[in-house]
């Protein structure tokens, strides 16, 4: 398998991006595949799917339909479908698209090389969507040049079973990776130039990993251990669940400065009635109390959140309570969506009487309010000196450099290539709609 060329298309969250990176490194480093960004040049097409959004299955089959044309021209092409939709649909994928060769799950991606080999030798389709216990992490191949930021999955699965969410059924129960394994991975990444690490999990703060002597390491302890790794100077994590955001984690914000002053903490709704229907384990008061404690520990922190608009049974009063919560917390940003029923979830059985027009109207109002908050936070940064991790050339202008602030803003500026991979202090001189403009001066970097 030395002449195979792969093309990977990834949809979904950072954990899907991490999984696709694992697939890529495994196939390239260990099995000497090549990679292309042009599907027409590949003989192995891999689709890593997400089931969160509405009509996720149809989106998958539309993409497969486009790839079918490539396979009709070249029957030797192998098509593989993985990720959450693969787990959710299983055999149905092959029934609807019998030209698909491989269906693999979120926990069986490490078996992909062997699956490809079997398809070539036996010329038949393979389905493996089982849940071996975090076995895939035993097959990690580290990138030689990972860049200056990296994602690391520390916990897989979810035990919360929110009524609207398909994740527990597609990712399995919560399983934490051993501490030593994580510290080794992050240390290797740091040696290869990573300066910022983003710890990932469906409920990342539920992490409880085993130590070498059989004890359990809590998430707060893991954050402090990662902060001790040479080269890692900035730590992010996502996504957290309010019910797991305990006082020991909040204390980390007081004593571990490498953990950024930016937190994504999904609330979903500002109505206790809707939260109960969503089977969220927290109420509004509990959520606000957590935020108060975090702000006390880290006064300059900025908060983002997730919101679902138009959940079955949501009244105008419920929606107004969500808007009120946004005003009280002063969220900096959000991921907000119109509710869409996921097959197999408890919420899919609820009567949904809210029109799509009303849902769109509410979403517009909510997003507009958040945008106003974001604008205010951005304006506060104008004229300030911000520490920016320089990631590489600017996407808009390759003659300039681009990086991120601690509060996750993109900053573009005129700089030198040797600044890439370093933290540079920049003065914010302009606020654009999706980015900031920075100015470098030696006097800011003494």
């Amino acid at each position: 398998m030395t002449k195979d060329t792969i093309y990977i298309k990834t949809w979904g969250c950072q954990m899907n991006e991490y999984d696709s990176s694992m697939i890529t490194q495994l196939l390239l480093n260990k099995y000497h595949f090549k990679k292309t960004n042009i599907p027409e040049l590949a003989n192995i097409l891999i689709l890593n799917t997400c089931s969160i959004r509405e009509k996720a299955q149809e989106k998958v089959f539309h993409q497969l339909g486009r790839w079918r044309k490539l396979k009709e021209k070249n029957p030797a092409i192998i098509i593989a479908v993985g990720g959450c939709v693969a787990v959710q649909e299983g055999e149905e994928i092959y029934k609807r698209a019998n030209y698909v060769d491989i269906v693999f799950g979120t926990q069986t991606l490490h078996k992909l090389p062997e699956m490809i080999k079997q398809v070539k030798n036996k010329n038949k389709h393979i389905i493996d969507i089982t849940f071996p216990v975090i076995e895939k992490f035993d097959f990690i191949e580290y990138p030689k040049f990972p860049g200056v930021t990296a994602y690391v999955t520390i916990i897989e699965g979810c035990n919360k079973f929110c009524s609207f969410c398909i994740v527990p059924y597609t990712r399995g129960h919560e399983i934490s990776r051993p501490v030593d394994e994580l510290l080794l991975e992050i240390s290797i990444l740091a040696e290869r130039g990573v300066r910022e690490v983003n710890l990932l999990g469906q409920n990342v703060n539920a992490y409880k990993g085993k130590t070498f002597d059989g004890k359990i390491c809590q998430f707060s302890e893991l954050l402090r251990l990662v902060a001790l790794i040479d080269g890692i100077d900035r730590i992010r994590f996502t996504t957290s669940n309010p019910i797991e955001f305990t006082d020991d984690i909040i204390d980390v914000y007081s004593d571990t400065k490498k953990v950024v002053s930016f937190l994504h903490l999904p609330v979903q709704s500002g109505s206790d009635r809707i939260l109960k229907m969503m089977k969220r384990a927290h109420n509004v008061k509990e959520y606000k109390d957590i935020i108060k404690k975090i702000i006390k520990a880290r006064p300059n922190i900025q908060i983002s959140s997730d919101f679902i608009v138009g959940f079955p049974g949501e009244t105008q009063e419920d929606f107004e309570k969500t808007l009120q919560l946004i005003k009280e917390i002063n969220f900096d940003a959000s991921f907000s969506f119109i509710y869409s029923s996921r097959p197999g979830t408890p919420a899919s059985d609820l009567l949904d009487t809210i029109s799509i027009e009303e849902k769109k109207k509410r979403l517009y109002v909510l997003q507009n309010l958040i945008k106003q908050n974001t604008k205010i936070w951005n304006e506060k940064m104008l004229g300030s000196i911000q520490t920016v991790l320089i990631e590489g050339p600017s996407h808009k202008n390759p003659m300039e450099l681009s990086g991120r602030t601690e509060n996750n803003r993109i900053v573009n500026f005129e700089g030198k290539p040797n600044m890439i991979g370093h933290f540079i202090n920049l003065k914010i001189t302009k606020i654009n709609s999706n980015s900031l403009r920075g100015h470098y001066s030696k006097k800011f970097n003494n």
Side-chain angles (χ1 to χ4, degrees):
M1 298 198 299
T2 58
K3 296 182 180 180
D4 288 305
T5 302
I6 62 170
Y7 171 82
I8 300 183
K9 191 173 188 66
T10 307
W11 292 327
C13 64
Q14 292 99 328
M15 293 190 74
N16 266 24
E17 296 287 349
Y18 180 84
D19 284 350
S20 288
S21 175
M22 285 183 66
I23 293 170
T24 301
Q25 297 306 320
L26 179 63
L27 293 178
L28 269 59
N29 293 355
K30 190 171 183 179
Y31 293 90
H32 310 295
F33 284 45
K34 295 180 180 179
K35 184 183 177 183
T36 179
N37 294 321
I38 304 172
E40 289 79 6
L41 298 181
N43 67 313
I44 299 174
L45 303 172
I46 303 170
L47 180 59
N48 192 7
T49 65
C50 173
S51 59
I52 296 297
R53 295 293 189 90
E54 186 179 9
K55 299 180 180 179
Q57 301 93 317
E58 297 309 311
K59 184 178 179 182
V60 168
F61 289 112
H62 288 158
Q63 179 61 54
L64 292 177
R66 290 188 282 272
W67 284 359
R68 180 179 187 173
K69 296 176 182 178
L70 297 179
K71 187 156 185 169
E72 287 173 348
K73 294 179 181 178
N74 180 9
I77 285 176
I78 294 174
I79 298 178
V81 181
C84 292
V85 173
V87 176
Q88 183 180 325
E89 296 298 307
E91 183 73 31
E92 289 299 316
I93 291 177
Y94 183 72
K95 288 180 180 179
R96 287 187 59 179
N98 63 4
Y99 48 89
V100 170
D101 301 285
I102 298 169
V103 177
F104 64 97
T106 55
Q107 304 303 323
T108 54
L109 56 86
H110 59 291
K111 298 182 181 181
L112 196 52
E114 182 60 29
M115 293 181 194
I116 292 171
K117 182 179 179 180
Q118 288 182 34
V119 168
K120 286 186 172 186
N121 292 341
K122 299 180 181 179
N123 195 29
K124 67 175 185 178
H125 76 277
I126 297 172
I127 298 176
D128 188 346
I129 52 173
T130 56
F131 285 88
V133 180
I134 59 175
E135 184 181 287
K136 67 182 182 183
F137 295 106
D138 295 335
F139 295 82
I140 289 178
E141 292 284 330
Y142 301 104
K144 294 179 181 179
F145 306 104
V148 298
T149 66
Y151 294 115
V152 174
T153 293
I154 68 168
I155 179 173
E156 284 271 351
C158 180
N159 295 344
K160 304 302 181 288
F161 289 92
C162 298
S163 66
F164 56 83
C165 187
I166 195 69
V167 167
Y169 309 97
T170 58
R171 287 270 179 182
H173 292 292
E174 291 172 0
I175 303 176
S176 298
R177 294 175 63 190
V179 177
D180 290 349
E181 182 181 303
L182 291 172
L183 297 180
L184 174 62
E185 180 174 349
I186 297 170
S187 295
I188 291 173
L189 291 171
E191 287 175 0
R192 298 183 182 185
V194 169
R195 304 296 304 280
E196 173 185 294
V197 66
N198 195 328
L199 308 180
L200 301 178
Q202 268 76 32
N203 291 299
V204 69
N205 53 333
Y207 176 83
K208 294 177 178 62
K210 287 187 178 180
T211 62
F212 70 94
D213 56 358
K215 296 179 181 179
I216 297 297
C217 175
Q218 304 291 330
F219 183 57
S220 56
E221 299 174 72
L222 179 65
L223 288 173
R224 292 189 176 98
L225 289 172
V226 173
L228 294 175
I229 296 175
D230 288 340
I232 299 298
D233 293 307
R234 189 181 276 177
I235 303 169
R236 302 184 189 274
F237 57 86
T238 190
T239 295
S240 298
N241 191 299
I243 197 66
E244 302 276 5
F245 219 99
T246 47
D247 287 346
D248 61 308
I249 299 174
I250 295 172
D251 289 342
V252 173
Y253 285 94
S254 297
D255 58 43
T256 309
K257 300 305 179 185
K258 289 185 179 181
V259 175
V260 298
S261 295
F262 188 89
L263 171 66
H264 184 71
L265 188 60
V267 64
Q268 305 299 358
S269 174
S271 165
D272 285 341
R273 189 179 74 87
I274 296 300
L275 289 174
K276 188 174 182 180
M277 292 175 68
M278 289 179 170
K279 296 191 182 300
R280 299 286 285 176
H282 64 273
N283 59 38
V284 174
K285 182 182 183 304
E286 289 167 340
Y287 183 88
K288 290 195 290 188
D289 286 345
I290 292 169
I291 298 299
K292 288 177 183 177
K293 290 180 181 179
I294 295 170
I295 292 175
K296 184 177 181 180
R298 188 75 68 85
N300 64 330
I301 198 166
Q302 291 169 235
I303 312 292
S304 66
S305 193
D306 289 349
F307 296 95
I308 294 176
V309 174
F311 189 82
E314 182 189 70
T315 64
Q316 184 63 33
E317 182 181 357
D318 293 321
F319 178 64
E320 292 294 339
K321 289 180 179 178
T322 299
L323 298 181
Q324 182 58 38
L325 179 65
I326 292 172
K327 293 174 183 176
E328 286 184 41
I329 302 297
N330 193 21
F331 290 105
D332 172 58
S334 79
F335 294 100
S336 47
F337 311 98
I338 291 174
Y339 168 78
S340 61
S341 176
R342 310 310 317 132
T345 60
S348 64
D349 295 326
L350 296 176
L351 181 63
D352 187 359
T353 60
I354 309 171
S355 69
I356 186 62
E357 291 77 14
E358 178 61 26
K359 290 179 181 180
K360 289 181 178 179
K361 177 183 175 182
R362 291 179 187 179
L363 182 65
Y364 174 81
V365 172
L366 185 148
Q367 291 182 338
N368 192 51
L369 180 57
I370 294 287
K371 286 179 181 178
Q372 292 176 30
N373 285 357
T374 304
K375 183 180 179 181
I376 292 171
W377 281 109
N378 284 345
E379 289 173 347
K380 289 180 180 179
M381 298 175 69
L382 189 62
S384 69
I385 307 298
Q386 297 288 324
T387 301
V388 179
L389 175 56
I390 312 306
E391 298 178 355
S394 170
H395 293 298
K396 291 186 177 181
N397 184 353
M399 300 302 293
E400 295 185 342
L401 297 180
S402 180
R404 286 184 186 270
T405 62
E406 185 173 347
N407 62 349
N408 216 28
R409 265 47 174 195
I410 296 173
V411 183
N412 297 307
F413 73 106
E414 293 181 3
K416 298 179 180 179
N418 61 5
M419 294 178 176
I420 296 173
H422 296 277
F423 288 90
I424 303 293
N425 292 326
L426 301 174
K427 184 176 183 178
I428 305 304
T429 59
K430 186 179 179 182
I431 308 297
N432 298 317
S433 56
N434 296 311
S435 65
L436 307 177
R437 186 75 190 169
H439 172 69
Y440 171 80
S441 174
K442 287 184 178 180
K443 68 180 180 180
F444 306 145
N445 294 274
N446 291 331

